[in-house]
Amino acid sequence: MEVAGGMRKASSHASMALDPDDFDLTRLLNHRPRINVDRQRSFDERSLADLSISGTASRGGGWGGYMESYESMYSPGGGLRSFCGTPASSTRLSFEPHPLVFEAWDALRRSLVCFRGQPLGTIAAVDHSSDEVLNYDQVFVRDFVPSALAFLMNGEPEIVKNFLLKTLLLQGWEKRIDRFKLGEGAMPASFKVLKDPKRGVDRLVADFGESAIGRVAPVDSGFWWIILLRAYTKSTGDLSLAESPECQKGIRLIMNQCLAEGFDTFPTLLCADGCCMIDRRMGVYGYPIEIQALFFMALRCAVLMLKPDAAEGKETMERIATRLHALSYHMRSYFWLDFQQLNDVYRYKTEEYSHTAVNKFNVIPESIPDWVFDFMPSRGGYFVGNVSPARMDFRWFALGNFVAILASLATPEQSAAIMDLVEERWEDLIGEMPLKISFPAIEAHEWQIVTGCDPKNTRWSYHNGGSWPVLLWLLTAACVKTGRLKIARRAIELAEARLARDGWPEYYDGKLGRYVGKQARKLQTWSIAGYLVAKMMLEDPSHLGMISLEEDKAMKPVLKRSASWTV
Ligand code: GLC
């Protein structure tokens, strides 16, 4: 099999062992980032309006007034480098950073993994106190994202570049689970550096779902990879990595996989349960908000980074543009829930046939759970967990909603409403430790049926209504974007009161998140990195640019409910 960068033929093993001799990583790494390059023509300036769906794709222009404010917010993190745990950003500050920041940097650096002498990622947790079968010494793609952002914000882009390149090489391998061959674009959930004393070299072993508990496939990994590639490029100004043939091919492979045509009737992406941060059975199968928001953001980042000069790139860009239009319409119309919409669903007629149906998915009002009537404030709203025929999962999921704000999948009004909801339902969604991964918990018979009696996901624990400090960075980014800094400050203060004292746990349990989680790992890397990113983003809001996309005027919401067949 032909793979990027002149790598060797693929292994057909389920666990892929990567030899250092097999590829030439250094070739790409030798490009030093071009910090502060001329940003007038950066790919962020490309709008969907520039991509005629049936015609030619062009680069440049299109953001108009938006870009002015966007660009003025941009400040590359490159150039400053810290060597011994000191946050480089502190050198720019006129005040002393919180003492926890130093402790957190120290802990984050302890989670660094090296491969052939180069830092390559961070392991999921440094805690080895439990004898439970561990997979926490793996570098998880999704877990690395907040670490990567922390390093980028601190002016240390090399580790992020190494990570992006190495995972790209893993993508190139032939991946099998039993006798089934996985799609070419699939990215691993995690990988691990194995010391091989016999050969005297390190090897990488990746997991694409064949080792994971429940054999869950990480649909989010490829999306995070693309989002991170754009964050790297935006932060360093180094276009050469994203524009390299290897990265261009990597983006195209991911796009081919998620844009492949099937039997779908919706532009959303159909997934199995446990395919994302919630990687256990939790009733998130179908069209989970987390994946839809990441899908949307990855599509937008991909279309910004793909080079239209190659025929393949141009074709992919056109497919992305088509999908983005349909996806934003679908999500903004059908996943959105506020007081008015809830009242509309409550009064829905059912069994409507034909194109004029208002209740398109035939949602039966009796399926609306009682809690949502009390939970819904008069001011505020959110994207529900899932929508498909006769199904609306009314649960709140934090990650999907905040990514929707960052990607501008949410309109400015919807973004403000999500932040209003957080404020109005502070006890429920933030409680004593930010913040709830999902709300509310499922209990009793429903828990038995939906989770398959999962003892890890009991009510108000872990994925089932547990509180995850890592989500603090997403909350803070959403606050910065919507100008609601007070919310972020309050949440960060809560985290600061407990996080370090409790040993940076992975998650907290209980309705208010008061208790360190039942099986929570300590020194959980993304809890540490999430805190650092939140702090740095508040101190220097211009960091937001690397992880946020402004609204594309070409994707104006069309809110006429029964018009999707004609638009
Ligand atoms: C748990 C989380 C998952 C995370 C992994 C490593 O499985 O559910 O999101 O990536 O731990 O921290």
Side-chain angles (χ1 to χ4, degrees), residues 123-125 135-136 138 140-143 189 213 220 276-280 290 437 456 462-463 468 506 524-526:
I123 55 171
N135 61 354
Y136 283 74
Q138 306 259 341
F140 279 77
V141 171
R142 73 174 73 86
D143 291 44
I213 297 165
D220 60 342
C276 46
M277 176 181 179
I278 297 182
D279 56 1
R280 297 169 78 87
E290 174 171 343
I437 189 171
K456 207 162 174 184
Y462 204 45
H463 303 139
W468 290 65
E506 180 185 17
Q524 182 78 15
T525 306
W526 67 359

